[in-house]
Protein backbone atom coordinates (compact mmCIF):
# COMPACT_ATOMS: atom_id res chain seq x y z
CA UNK A 1 0.00 0.00 0.00
CA UNK A 2 1.50 3.31 -1.10
CA UNK A 3 0.81 6.22 1.23
CA UNK A 4 0.52 9.61 -0.50
CA UNK A 5 2.23 12.25 1.65
CA UNK A 6 -0.10 15.17 1.01
CA UNK A 7 1.78 18.40 0.34
CA UNK A 8 0.96 22.08 -0.03
CA UNK A 9 -0.78 22.57 -3.39
CA UNK A 10 1.26 24.24 -6.15
CA UNK A 11 4.59 24.11 -4.36
CA UNK A 12 7.31 23.14 -6.81
CA UNK A 13 10.88 22.00 -7.25
CA UNK A 14 13.08 21.00 -10.17
CA UNK A 15 15.87 18.49 -10.71
CA UNK A 16 18.51 19.03 -13.41
CA UNK A 17 20.94 16.44 -14.77
CA UNK A 18 24.11 18.06 -16.07
CA UNK A 19 26.85 16.99 -18.46
CA UNK A 20 30.43 16.86 -17.13
CA UNK A 21 32.91 17.53 -19.97
CA UNK A 22 36.65 17.97 -20.30
CA UNK A 23 37.97 21.27 -21.65
CA UNK A 24 40.20 19.69 -24.26
CA UNK A 25 37.76 18.33 -26.83
CA UNK A 26 34.62 18.78 -24.68
CA UNK A 27 33.77 15.08 -24.63
CA UNK A 28 32.10 13.63 -21.56
CA UNK A 29 34.47 12.76 -18.74
CA UNK A 30 34.09 10.73 -15.54
CA UNK A 31 34.23 13.66 -13.15
CA UNK A 32 31.33 13.33 -10.72
CA UNK A 33 33.35 11.99 -7.77
CA UNK A 34 36.08 14.64 -8.13
CA UNK A 35 33.48 17.39 -8.38
CA UNK A 36 31.56 16.14 -5.35
CA UNK A 37 34.74 15.84 -3.30
CA UNK A 38 35.49 19.54 -3.79
CA UNK A 39 31.87 20.66 -3.48
CA UNK A 40 31.32 18.76 -0.22
CA UNK A 41 34.37 20.24 1.53
CA UNK A 42 32.03 23.01 2.64
CA UNK A 43 28.64 22.55 4.27
CA UNK A 44 26.58 24.11 1.46
CA UNK A 45 23.22 22.51 2.28
CA UNK A 46 22.25 21.97 -1.37
CA UNK A 47 21.08 18.74 -3.01
CA UNK A 48 23.94 17.87 -5.39
CA UNK A 49 24.54 14.19 -6.13
CA UNK A 50 25.81 11.65 -8.70
CA UNK A 51 23.63 10.08 -11.39
CA UNK A 52 23.63 6.74 -13.19
CA UNK A 53 26.95 7.24 -15.03
CA UNK A 54 30.07 9.04 -13.83
CA UNK A 55 29.83 11.80 -16.44
CA UNK A 56 26.59 13.12 -14.94
CA UNK A 57 25.74 15.17 -11.90
CA UNK A 58 22.28 16.04 -10.61
CA UNK A 59 21.14 19.10 -8.73
CA UNK A 60 17.73 19.53 -7.11
CA UNK A 61 16.14 22.64 -5.67
CA UNK A 62 14.35 22.84 -2.36
CA UNK A 63 10.56 23.29 -2.27
CA UNK A 64 9.35 26.67 -3.55
CA UNK A 65 6.13 28.58 -4.02
CA UNK A 66 7.76 31.37 -6.05
CA UNK A 67 9.86 30.77 -9.16
CA UNK A 68 12.02 33.86 -8.54
CA UNK A 69 13.23 32.30 -5.28
CA UNK A 70 13.87 29.04 -7.11
CA UNK A 71 16.02 30.86 -9.68
CA UNK A 72 17.97 32.59 -6.90
CA UNK A 73 18.69 29.18 -5.33
CA UNK A 74 19.86 27.74 -8.66
CA UNK A 75 22.14 30.73 -9.22
CA UNK A 76 23.84 30.04 -5.87
CA UNK A 77 24.12 26.32 -6.65
CA UNK A 78 25.66 27.14 -10.01
CA UNK A 79 28.32 29.30 -8.34
CA UNK A 80 29.42 26.35 -6.21
CA UNK A 81 29.42 23.96 -9.18
CA UNK A 82 31.30 26.34 -11.47
CA UNK A 83 33.96 27.06 -8.83
CA UNK A 84 34.58 23.34 -8.34
CA UNK A 85 34.60 22.65 -12.10
CA UNK A 86 37.10 25.47 -12.69
CA UNK A 87 39.48 23.97 -10.12
CA UNK A 88 39.37 20.67 -12.00
CA UNK A 89 39.47 22.24 -15.48
CA UNK A 90 36.07 20.70 -16.22
CA UNK A 91 33.03 22.10 -17.95
CA UNK A 92 29.36 21.69 -17.07
CA UNK A 93 26.60 21.89 -19.64
CA UNK A 94 22.88 21.64 -20.15
CA UNK A 95 21.40 19.89 -23.16
CA UNK A 96 19.43 16.65 -23.31
CA UNK A 97 22.19 14.53 -24.86
CA UNK A 98 25.92 14.99 -25.41
CA UNK A 99 26.40 15.44 -29.19
CA UNK A 100 29.25 12.98 -29.80
CA UNK A 101 29.94 10.78 -26.77
CA UNK A 102 29.75 7.01 -27.23
CA UNK A 103 27.64 5.14 -24.71
CA UNK A 104 30.06 2.20 -24.45
CA UNK A 105 32.69 4.56 -22.98
CA UNK A 106 30.50 5.43 -19.99
CA UNK A 107 30.91 3.89 -16.56
CA UNK A 108 28.01 3.11 -14.20
CA UNK A 109 28.22 5.01 -10.92
CA UNK A 110 28.89 2.42 -8.16
CA UNK A 111 25.76 2.49 -6.02
CA UNK A 112 23.51 -0.50 -5.32
CA UNK A 113 20.57 1.11 -7.14
CA UNK A 114 22.55 1.85 -10.33
CA UNK A 115 24.26 -1.56 -10.32
CA UNK A 116 20.80 -3.14 -10.11
CA UNK A 117 19.59 -1.05 -13.07
CA UNK A 118 22.72 -2.02 -15.03
CA UNK A 119 22.29 -5.72 -14.24
CA UNK A 120 18.65 -5.63 -15.29
CA UNK A 121 18.83 -3.45 -18.39
CA UNK A 122 22.32 -4.24 -19.72
CA UNK A 123 23.63 -1.78 -22.30
CA UNK A 124 20.49 0.35 -21.99
CA UNK A 125 21.81 1.58 -18.63
CA UNK A 126 24.86 3.15 -20.29
CA UNK A 127 22.71 4.47 -23.11
CA UNK A 128 20.78 6.21 -20.32
CA UNK A 129 23.59 8.80 -20.29
CA UNK A 130 21.08 11.44 -21.30
CA UNK A 131 20.17 14.55 -19.37
CA UNK A 132 16.74 15.63 -18.27
CA UNK A 133 14.84 18.10 -16.13
CA UNK A 134 12.19 16.80 -13.76
CA UNK A 135 9.51 19.11 -12.38
CA UNK A 136 7.57 18.41 -9.17
CA UNK A 137 4.24 20.05 -8.33
CA UNK A 138 2.72 19.70 -4.85
CA UNK A 139 -0.70 18.05 -4.49
CA UNK A 140 -3.08 18.06 -1.51
CA UNK A 141 -4.09 14.39 -1.95
CA UNK A 142 -3.43 11.24 -3.92
CA UNK A 143 -6.76 11.63 -5.72
CA UNK A 144 -5.75 15.12 -6.86
CA UNK A 145 -2.35 13.81 -8.00
CA UNK A 146 -4.08 11.25 -10.23
CA UNK A 147 -6.49 13.86 -11.62
CA UNK A 148 -3.69 16.35 -12.25
CA UNK A 149 -1.47 13.74 -13.91
CA UNK A 150 -4.18 12.90 -16.44
CA UNK A 151 -5.03 16.56 -17.12
CA UNK A 152 -1.36 17.48 -17.62
CA UNK A 153 -0.90 14.57 -20.05
CA UNK A 154 -2.22 16.52 -23.03
CA UNK A 155 0.45 19.22 -22.44
CA UNK A 156 3.39 16.79 -22.47
CA UNK A 157 4.26 17.80 -26.09
CA UNK A 158 4.60 21.38 -24.83
CA UNK A 159 7.25 20.45 -22.27
CA UNK A 160 9.13 18.31 -24.78
CA UNK A 161 9.12 21.10 -27.35
CA UNK A 162 9.97 23.99 -25.03
CA UNK A 163 12.97 22.13 -23.57
CA UNK A 164 14.18 20.28 -26.69
CA UNK A 165 17.99 20.44 -26.74
CA UNK A 166 19.28 17.11 -28.03
CA UNK A 167 19.40 17.31 -31.84
CA UNK A 168 22.79 15.58 -32.01
CA UNK A 169 23.58 12.08 -30.71
CA UNK A 170 26.58 9.76 -31.24
CA UNK A 171 28.15 12.31 -33.58
CA UNK A 172 25.24 12.77 -36.00
CA UNK A 173 22.30 15.10 -36.46
CA UNK A 174 19.35 12.89 -35.54
CA UNK A 175 16.87 15.21 -37.37
CA UNK A 176 14.94 15.20 -34.06
CA UNK A 177 14.53 18.26 -31.87
CA UNK A 178 14.75 15.97 -28.82
CA UNK A 179 16.52 12.63 -29.33
CA UNK A 180 16.81 12.04 -25.57
CA UNK A 181 13.41 10.45 -25.08
CA UNK A 182 14.25 7.77 -27.67
CA UNK A 183 16.75 6.34 -25.16
CA UNK A 184 14.04 6.21 -22.49
CA UNK A 185 11.48 4.61 -24.84
CA UNK A 186 13.53 1.40 -24.78
CA UNK A 187 12.69 0.77 -21.12
CA UNK A 188 9.68 -1.55 -20.70
CA UNK A 189 7.99 0.65 -18.08
CA UNK A 190 8.25 3.92 -20.03
CA UNK A 191 5.40 5.84 -21.67
CA UNK A 192 2.32 6.81 -19.67
CA UNK A 193 0.63 5.49 -16.57
CA UNK A 194 -2.62 3.50 -16.83
CA UNK A 195 -5.94 5.28 -16.76
CA UNK A 196 -6.92 4.91 -13.13
CA UNK A 197 -9.22 7.55 -11.68
CA UNK A 198 -8.21 7.82 -8.01
CA UNK A 199 -5.48 6.90 -5.53
CA UNK A 200 -7.20 3.67 -4.48
CA UNK A 201 -7.26 2.62 -8.13
CA UNK A 202 -3.57 3.44 -8.47
CA UNK A 203 -2.75 1.41 -5.36
CA UNK A 204 -4.66 -1.57 -6.75
CA UNK A 205 -2.60 -1.33 -9.96
CA UNK A 206 0.68 -0.93 -8.06
CA UNK A 207 -0.11 -3.92 -5.81
CA UNK A 208 -0.75 -6.14 -8.84
CA UNK A 209 2.52 -5.05 -10.50
CA UNK A 210 4.41 -5.56 -7.25
CA UNK A 211 2.98 -9.05 -6.64
CA UNK A 212 3.91 -10.02 -10.20
CA UNK A 213 7.50 -9.06 -9.38
CA UNK A 214 7.63 -6.34 -12.05
CA UNK A 215 8.17 -3.36 -9.72
CA UNK A 216 9.46 -2.84 -6.21
CA UNK A 217 8.92 0.93 -5.93
CA UNK A 218 7.75 3.96 -7.89
CA UNK A 219 11.33 4.38 -9.15
CA UNK A 220 10.78 1.38 -11.40
CA UNK A 221 8.25 3.32 -13.50
CA UNK A 222 9.96 5.41 -16.18
CA UNK A 223 6.72 7.13 -17.14
CA UNK A 224 6.69 10.62 -18.66
CA UNK A 225 4.48 11.78 -15.83
CA UNK A 226 3.96 10.04 -12.51
CA UNK A 227 2.70 10.64 -8.98
CA UNK A 228 5.53 10.75 -6.45
CA UNK A 229 3.79 9.68 -3.22
CA UNK A 230 6.79 10.09 -0.90
CA UNK A 231 7.04 13.78 -1.89
CA UNK A 232 3.32 14.39 -2.33
CA UNK A 233 3.85 15.60 -5.89
CA UNK A 234 3.18 14.99 -9.54
CA UNK A 235 6.45 14.69 -11.46
CA UNK A 236 6.89 15.72 -15.12
CA UNK A 237 9.89 13.86 -16.58
CA UNK A 238 9.96 14.58 -20.33
CA UNK A 239 12.06 17.75 -20.46
CA UNK A 240 15.59 17.81 -21.84
CA UNK A 241 17.86 19.76 -19.49
CA UNK A 242 17.68 23.27 -21.00
CA UNK A 243 20.84 25.19 -21.85
CA UNK A 244 20.12 27.81 -19.15
CA UNK A 245 18.77 27.72 -15.61
CA UNK A 246 16.41 30.57 -16.50
CA UNK A 247 14.60 28.33 -18.99
CA UNK A 248 14.52 25.49 -16.47
CA UNK A 249 12.83 27.77 -13.92
CA UNK A 250 10.36 29.08 -16.50
CA UNK A 251 9.34 25.51 -17.33
CA UNK A 252 8.76 24.86 -13.63
CA UNK A 253 6.62 27.99 -13.44
CA UNK A 254 4.65 26.86 -16.51
CA UNK A 255 3.89 23.52 -14.84
CA UNK A 256 2.84 25.37 -11.67
CA UNK A 257 0.55 27.70 -13.65
CA UNK A 258 -1.07 24.87 -15.60
CA UNK A 259 -1.63 23.01 -12.34
CA UNK A 260 -3.32 26.03 -10.78
CA UNK A 261 -5.60 26.33 -13.80
CA UNK A 262 -6.55 22.65 -13.58
CA UNK A 263 -7.01 22.75 -9.79
CA UNK A 264 -9.20 25.87 -10.04
CA UNK A 265 -11.42 24.52 -12.82
CA UNK A 266 -13.07 21.57 -11.14
CA UNK A 267 -15.35 20.92 -14.11
CA UNK A 268 -12.33 19.63 -16.06
CA UNK A 269 -12.18 15.87 -15.64
CA UNK A 270 -9.71 13.32 -17.05
CA UNK A 271 -10.83 11.46 -20.17
CA UNK A 272 -9.32 8.16 -21.23
CA UNK A 273 -9.49 9.17 -24.91
CA UNK A 274 -6.67 11.67 -24.19
CA UNK A 275 -4.34 8.69 -24.56
CA UNK A 276 -5.56 7.74 -28.05
CA UNK A 277 -3.15 10.26 -29.55
CA UNK A 278 -0.67 10.54 -26.67
CA UNK A 279 2.19 8.57 -28.24
CA UNK A 280 1.63 10.16 -31.66
CA UNK A 281 1.68 13.71 -30.24
CA UNK A 282 4.74 12.89 -28.15
CA UNK A 283 6.61 11.62 -31.22
CA UNK A 284 5.65 14.73 -33.19
CA UNK A 285 7.07 16.92 -30.41
CA UNK A 286 10.35 14.97 -30.27
CA UNK A 287 10.78 14.87 -34.04
CA UNK A 288 9.48 18.25 -35.22
CA UNK A 289 9.18 20.44 -32.14
CA UNK A 290 7.07 23.55 -32.72
CA UNK A 291 6.24 22.40 -36.26
CA UNK A 292 4.88 19.07 -35.05
CA UNK A 293 1.20 18.18 -35.32
CA UNK A 294 -0.93 17.92 -32.21
CA UNK A 295 -4.21 16.02 -32.45
CA UNK A 296 -6.91 16.66 -29.87
CA UNK A 297 -8.82 13.35 -29.76
CA UNK A 298 -11.66 14.81 -27.70
CA UNK A 299 -12.45 17.66 -30.10
CA UNK A 300 -11.26 15.77 -33.18
CA UNK A 301 -9.09 18.72 -34.23
CA UNK A 302 -5.47 19.12 -35.32
CA UNK A 303 -3.12 22.08 -34.90
CA UNK A 304 0.60 22.72 -34.78
CA UNK A 305 2.26 22.29 -31.40
CA UNK A 306 3.33 25.93 -31.62
CA UNK A 307 -0.28 27.06 -32.03
CA UNK A 308 -1.44 24.85 -29.15
CA UNK A 309 1.28 26.20 -26.83
CA UNK A 310 0.42 29.83 -27.61
CA UNK A 311 -3.31 29.17 -27.17
CA UNK A 312 -2.59 27.52 -23.81
CA UNK A 313 -0.51 30.52 -22.69
CA UNK A 314 -3.57 32.69 -23.41
CA UNK A 315 -5.87 30.23 -21.59
CA UNK A 316 -3.85 30.33 -18.35
CA UNK A 317 -3.22 34.09 -18.32
CA UNK A 318 -5.38 34.71 -15.22
CA UNK A 319 -3.72 31.84 -13.34
CA UNK A 320 -0.29 33.30 -14.25
CA UNK A 321 -1.33 36.74 -13.01
CA UNK A 322 -2.56 35.24 -9.73
CA UNK A 323 0.67 33.25 -9.20
CA UNK A 324 3.03 35.96 -10.41
CA UNK A 325 4.39 33.75 -13.20
CA UNK A 326 3.55 36.04 -16.13
CA UNK A 327 7.24 36.87 -16.65
CA UNK A 328 8.11 33.17 -16.88
CA UNK A 329 5.34 32.59 -19.45
CA UNK A 330 6.65 35.61 -21.41
CA UNK A 331 10.14 34.07 -21.42
CA UNK A 332 8.71 30.84 -22.85
CA UNK A 333 6.68 32.80 -25.41
CA UNK A 334 9.94 34.41 -26.57
CA UNK A 335 11.49 30.93 -26.85
CA UNK A 336 8.63 29.89 -29.12
CA UNK A 337 9.38 32.87 -31.35
CA UNK A 338 13.14 32.18 -31.28
CA UNK A 339 12.59 28.44 -32.00
CA UNK A 340 14.49 27.20 -28.92
CA UNK A 341 17.70 25.41 -27.91
CA UNK A 342 17.80 22.70 -30.60
CA UNK A 343 17.70 25.34 -33.33
CA UNK A 344 20.46 27.31 -31.57
CA UNK A 345 22.65 24.20 -31.29
CA UNK A 346 22.23 23.41 -34.99
CA UNK A 347 23.05 27.01 -35.91
CA UNK A 348 26.19 26.85 -33.75
CA UNK A 349 27.29 23.71 -35.59
CA UNK A 350 26.63 25.30 -38.99
CA UNK A 351 28.93 28.19 -38.06
CA UNK A 352 31.82 26.18 -36.63
CA UNK A 353 31.49 22.76 -38.25
CA UNK A 354 32.69 21.29 -34.95
CA UNK A 355 30.58 19.43 -32.39
CA UNK A 356 33.37 20.01 -29.84
CA UNK A 357 32.89 23.74 -30.35
CA UNK A 358 29.13 23.34 -29.97
CA UNK A 359 29.64 21.72 -26.54
CA UNK A 360 32.16 24.43 -25.60
CA UNK A 361 29.52 27.06 -26.35
CA UNK A 362 26.71 25.27 -24.52
CA UNK A 363 29.01 24.77 -21.53
CA UNK A 364 29.86 28.48 -21.49
CA UNK A 365 26.15 29.30 -21.65
CA UNK A 366 25.20 27.06 -18.71
CA UNK A 367 28.17 28.16 -16.58
CA UNK A 368 27.26 31.80 -17.14
CA UNK A 369 30.46 32.61 -19.02
Amino acid sequence: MLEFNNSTPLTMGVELELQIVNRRDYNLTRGSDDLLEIINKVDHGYDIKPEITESMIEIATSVHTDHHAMLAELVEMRKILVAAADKLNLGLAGGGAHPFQHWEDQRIYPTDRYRLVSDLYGYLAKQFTVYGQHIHIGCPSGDEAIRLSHLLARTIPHFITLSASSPFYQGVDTTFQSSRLTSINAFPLSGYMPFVTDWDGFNTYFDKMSKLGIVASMKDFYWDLRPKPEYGTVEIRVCDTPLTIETAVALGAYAQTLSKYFMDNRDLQPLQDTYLTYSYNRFQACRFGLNGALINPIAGTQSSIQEDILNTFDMIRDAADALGTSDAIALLRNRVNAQGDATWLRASYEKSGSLSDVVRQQSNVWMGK
Side-chain angles (χ1 to χ4, degrees), residues 166-169 172-179 283-289 342 346:
S166 51
F168 301 105
Y169 188 64
V172 298
D173 188 331
T174 64
T175 71
F176 277 60
Q177 297 297 93
S178 171
S179 67
F283 167 79
Q284 288 281 315
C286 292
R287 174 69 176 86
F288 301 109
R346 283 195 173 99

Side-chain angles (χ1 to χ4, degrees), residues 7-126:
S7 63
T8 305
L10 303 176
T11 48
M12 63 176 164
V14 301
E15 301 162 286
L16 299 172
E17 296 161 347
L18 301 171
Q19 303 180 31
I20 305 171
V21 297
N22 70 57
R23 290 190 187 170
R24 186 180 66 260
D25 65 356
Y26 285 86
N27 200 351
L28 290 181
T29 189
R30 298 196 296 263
S32 55
D33 268 347
D34 292 339
L35 270 172
L36 288 165
E37 186 177 351
I38 291 177
I39 287 167
N40 292 332
K41 281 180 178 173
V42 294
D43 185 15
H44 51 76
Y46 293 121
D47 188 352
I48 304 172
K49 54 183 178 285
E51 246 297 335
I52 189 165
T53 62
E54 293 182 1
S55 54
M56 310 174 75
I57 197 162
E58 181 182 274
I59 61 176
T61 68
S62 52
V63 179
H64 291 278
T65 55
D66 178 78
H67 69 283
H68 301 100
M70 188 160 71
L71 178 60
E73 182 184 19
L74 281 170
V75 167
E76 291 306 309
M77 292 172 84
R78 180 172 65 182
K79 286 178 186 174
I80 292 170
L81 284 157
V82 168
D86 282 344
K87 283 182 182 174
L88 295 165
N89 200 31
L90 296 174
L92 297 166
H98 186 276
F100 61 89
Q101 64 91 18
H102 290 284
W103 61 263
E104 67 270 20
D105 296 334
Q106 305 314 317
R107 185 178 293 172
I108 300 295
Y109 195 87
T111 65
D112 290 344
R113 165 74 185 165
Y114 295 143
R115 284 196 189 102
L116 189 66
V117 171
S118 181
D119 289 345
L120 179 59
Y121 292 114
Y123 83 106
L124 292 180
K126 289 187 177 183

Side-chain angles (χ1 to χ4, degrees), residues 30-258:
R30 298 196 296 263
S32 55
D33 268 347
D34 292 339
L35 270 172
L36 288 165
E37 186 177 351
I38 291 177
I39 287 167
N40 292 332
K41 281 180 178 173
V42 294
D43 185 15
H44 51 76
Y46 293 121
D47 188 352
I48 304 172
K49 54 183 178 285
E51 246 297 335
I52 189 165
T53 62
E54 293 182 1
S55 54
M56 310 174 75
I57 197 162
E58 181 182 274
I59 61 176
T61 68
S62 52
V63 179
H64 291 278
T65 55
D66 178 78
H67 69 283
H68 301 100
M70 188 160 71
L71 178 60
E73 182 184 19
L74 281 170
V75 167
E76 291 306 309
M77 292 172 84
R78 180 172 65 182
K79 286 178 186 174
I80 292 170
L81 284 157
V82 168
D86 282 344
K87 283 182 182 174
L88 295 165
N89 200 31
L90 296 174
L92 297 166
H98 186 276
F100 61 89
Q101 64 91 18
H102 290 284
W103 61 263
E104 67 270 20
D105 296 334
Q106 305 314 317
R107 185 178 293 172
I108 300 295
Y109 195 87
T111 65
D112 290 344
R113 165 74 185 165
Y114 295 143
R115 284 196 189 102
L116 189 66
V117 171
S118 181
D119 289 345
L120 179 59
Y121 292 114
Y123 83 106
L124 292 180
K126 289 187 177 183
Q127 281 206 332
F128 210 31
T129 306
V130 288
Y131 302 82
Q133 170 180 356
H134 299 170
I135 303 166
H136 290 266
I137 301 295
C139 290
S141 69
D143 287 349
E144 186 63 23
I146 297 299
R147 174 179 177 269
L148 185 59
S149 294
H150 290 312
L151 290 174
L152 284 169
R154 70 163 298 277
T155 69
I156 284 301
H158 298 189
F159 287 95
I160 294 170
T161 297
L162 290 167
S163 66
S165 56
S166 51
F168 301 105
Y169 188 64
Q170 304 277 292
V172 298
D173 188 331
T174 64
T175 71
F176 277 60
Q177 297 297 93
S178 171
S179 67
R180 168 183 160 269
L181 282 175
T182 306
S183 297
I184 296 163
N185 292 348
F187 287 82
L189 298 174
S190 60
Y192 54 86
M193 77 174 189
F195 190 76
V196 295
T197 55
D198 55 26
W199 191 245
D200 284 344
F202 186 84
N203 253 318
T204 299
Y205 168 80
F206 181 86
D207 286 347
K208 286 178 182 176
M209 294 292 278
S210 179
K211 284 171 182 170
L212 291 168
I214 296 171
V215 299
S217 75
M218 284 299 298
K219 284 186 176 179
D220 296 320
F221 294 116
Y222 290 85
W223 295 330
D224 295 345
L225 190 64
R226 68 184 183 190
K228 193 75 169 168
E230 61 267 44
Y231 294 162
T233 64
V234 165
E235 182 185 16
I236 299 170
R237 300 163 49 82
V238 293
C239 296
D240 285 359
T241 298
L243 299 187
T244 69
I245 55 176
E246 289 80 8
T247 302
V249 168
L251 288 164
Y254 181 40
Q256 184 192 34
T257 310
L258 280 167

